[in-house]
Amino acid sequence: MIQPPDVSGTTGPDGAPVPVVDVVCLGESMVTFLPRLPGRLADVPSFDRAIGGAESNVACTLARTGHTTRWISRVGTDGFGDHLLTAIAECGVDVAHVRRDPQRPTGVYFRTAGDRATDTHEVAYYRAGSAASAMTADGLDAAALRAGRILHLSGITAALSADCLGLLRELTARRPGRPLLSFDVNYRPGLWRDTAQARVLRDLARGADLVFVGDDEARDAWGLHGPRAISRALPEPQLLVVKQGRAGATVFRRTGETDLRRTGGPDLRRTGELDGRRDDDTATFVPALNVDLVAATGAGDAFAAGFLSATLRGLPDRDRLRHGHLWAAAALTVPGDLATPPSRPQADRLAALDDTAWERLHLGPGWTDADVSGRRADEEVPTQ
């Protein structure tokens, strides 16, 4: 029988107890510069400053809906590092275990206003040799990493440096006592010299308990086509979420996953080697929502946050996917990386819609601010 981990007695290097949180997120965050006008980077005269980072996005989004979260990383002792810590802490995230590096800078990047999927989209990263690229297993607070119901990682970290790859190999190793491990593949072609190198992401995913991967990512990085092929190639995770773009998303569940709500903690460990997905494992598909797209940046992180929130609450697979889609819709209808997700009552009400009403939803900018609490469950939420 699988038992949840005991993280209540976790202590730090000084012997003091480390507070247990719902989700610990580890990874690089950077200061982001967003153009004030559309156009090429060469032509944009001014930018607005924001923050961006897959894992910190997840931590901030979860914190904004009442979950306790911790972000762990390294930043420089420069002003950009100060800004990141302040901005992420203001979202309600614990940043006390972020290390400061006096020798390396905080990463920054500039991007155009267009959709990442179009040929006109430009991103200029200045992250080589950043403080985050020097993260190692020995250089982080192991107690703070373990003191969470879920530890969330991303494949972006693995591409930053050999040290970061070694860190992720260490964290995804199957050992007793670790939290439920969530891994978002987050394949970024620009961070890998070739797809042969990116195959390491598949190895890392196989060490996780919960995996998020886009079907386009699996095709480009691993040569896999379609959710079923991806599921067969990743038999180990208890939950595998395959995102299928505008079509929707499918979650594959291994038989026997323990409910977080029933155990009072995450379904931690399986013992022994797994022999592939069983025929009686379940697959649940939920179509994506119809939204008025403003920018796609950050939608995948928001989806992961919504799914994790519903997982922490022990909701059924369909509702986990629906919360993912709803939180992604919040990100799709704002220009920056971070969006305010729907309130828990609003998200729960929409997630409870019948299939017809769900497919009829049409969400536009500002929809999370709409007062829809008095609407019937079968009514459409109008575009703002």
Side-chain angles (χ1 to χ4, degrees):
M1 179 178 178
I2 300 169
Q3 298 293 331
D6 179 9
V7 295
S8 59
T10 303
T11 58
D14 58 358
V18 178
V20 177
V21 297
D22 289 332
V23 182
V24 175
C25 299
L26 177 142
E28 181 181 37
S29 189
M30 293 179 288
V31 173
T32 311
F33 291 93
L34 308 175
R36 292 185 174 178
L37 296 172
R40 302 183 310 151
L41 287 179
D43 302 325
V44 174
S46 60
F47 297 81
D48 290 320
R49 185 180 63 177
I51 62 173
E55 300 82 4
S56 59
N57 285 348
V58 171
C60 290
T61 305
L62 283 165
R64 285 175 167 179
T65 55
H67 290 288
T68 54
T69 63
R70 174 178 298 129
W71 174 57
I72 294 180
S73 186
R74 289 173 69 94
V75 299
T77 54
D78 48 30
F80 289 144
D82 294 341
H83 175 64
L84 280 177
L85 291 174
T86 299
I88 294 172
E90 286 177 348
C91 291
V93 179
D94 173 12
V95 299
H97 302 276
V98 175
R99 299 288 174 88
R100 305 300 297 265
D101 188 333
Q103 305 299 323
R104 300 174 181 86
T106 304
V108 301
Y109 74 96
F110 298 76
R111 69 173 175 85
T112 52
D115 186 351
R116 179 179 287 169
T118 68
D119 291 337
T120 61
H121 183 73
E122 295 176 78
V123 181
Y125 290 102
Y126 298 90
R127 75 196 319 173
S130 70
S133 70
M135 287 190 294
T136 64
D138 293 337
L140 298 174
D141 189 333
L145 277 168
R146 291 194 301 268
R149 298 176 67 192
I150 295 175
L151 172 59
H152 181 70
L153 309 172
S154 161
I156 293 174
T157 304
L160 298 181
S161 67
D163 283 339
C164 285
L165 175 56
L167 171 62
L168 285 209
R169 289 190 186 278
E170 174 74 16
L171 294 177
T172 56
R174 296 187 177 278
R175 295 189 178 93
R178 80 176 190 187
L180 184 148
L181 196 138
S182 167
F183 181 73
D184 191 338
V185 170
N186 255 328
Y187 171 59
R188 297 287 185 265
L191 293 177
W192 299 91
R193 285 197 292 270
D194 53 52
T195 54
Q197 282 191 325
R199 288 175 190 151
V200 71
L201 295 174
R202 180 174 164 185
D203 296 334
L204 297 172
R206 295 180 70 177
D209 303 302
L210 166 58
V211 172
F212 300 95
V213 62
D215 57 357
D216 55 341
E217 295 176 304
R219 180 191 64 241
D220 296 343
W222 306 330
L224 299 173
H225 298 271
R228 286 289 176 185
I230 299 168
S231 175
R232 288 192 295 268
L234 294 174
E236 294 87 353
Q238 291 174 325
L239 289 176
L240 170 66
V241 181
V242 180
K243 297 175 290 183
Q244 297 157 256
R246 295 181 179 179
T250 301
V251 57
F252 295 92
R253 174 191 285 271
R254 286 193 57 84
T255 302
E257 190 219 11
T258 304
D259 194 308
L260 282 166
R261 182 175 49 189
R262 290 200 306 269
T263 63
D267 174 8
L268 174 64
R269 290 269 54 84
R270 298 176 301 278
T271 57
E273 294 296 320
L274 302 176
D275 57 1
R277 293 201 175 272
R278 295 159 49 98
D279 291 338
D280 57 351
D281 284 355
T282 62
T284 303
F285 172 78
V286 171
L289 291 164
N290 183 17
V291 302
D292 293 333
L293 177 66
V294 174
T297 306
D301 304 329
F303 181 96
F307 192 95
L308 291 176
S309 173
T311 299
L312 285 161
R313 298 170 60 200
L315 300 183
D317 290 345
R318 185 204 71 163
D319 290 359
R320 297 185 195 193
L321 288 172
R322 286 190 171 190
H323 277 263
H325 286 315
L326 286 165
W327 292 30
L332 291 167
T333 51
V334 299
D337 283 19
L338 276 175
T340 300
S343 67
R344 187 172 296 183
Q346 184 184 24
D348 284 347
R349 190 193 67 79
L350 295 178
L353 294 173
D354 62 36
D355 290 345
T356 300
W358 175 263
E359 294 180 16
R360 204 172 62 223
L361 282 177
H362 184 178
L363 305 175
W367 73 269
T368 57
D369 298 325
D371 181 11
V372 297
S373 58
R375 294 181 177 274
R376 299 194 317 271
D378 60 350
E379 287 185 313
E380 178 178 358
V381 176
T383 301
Q384 299 298 303

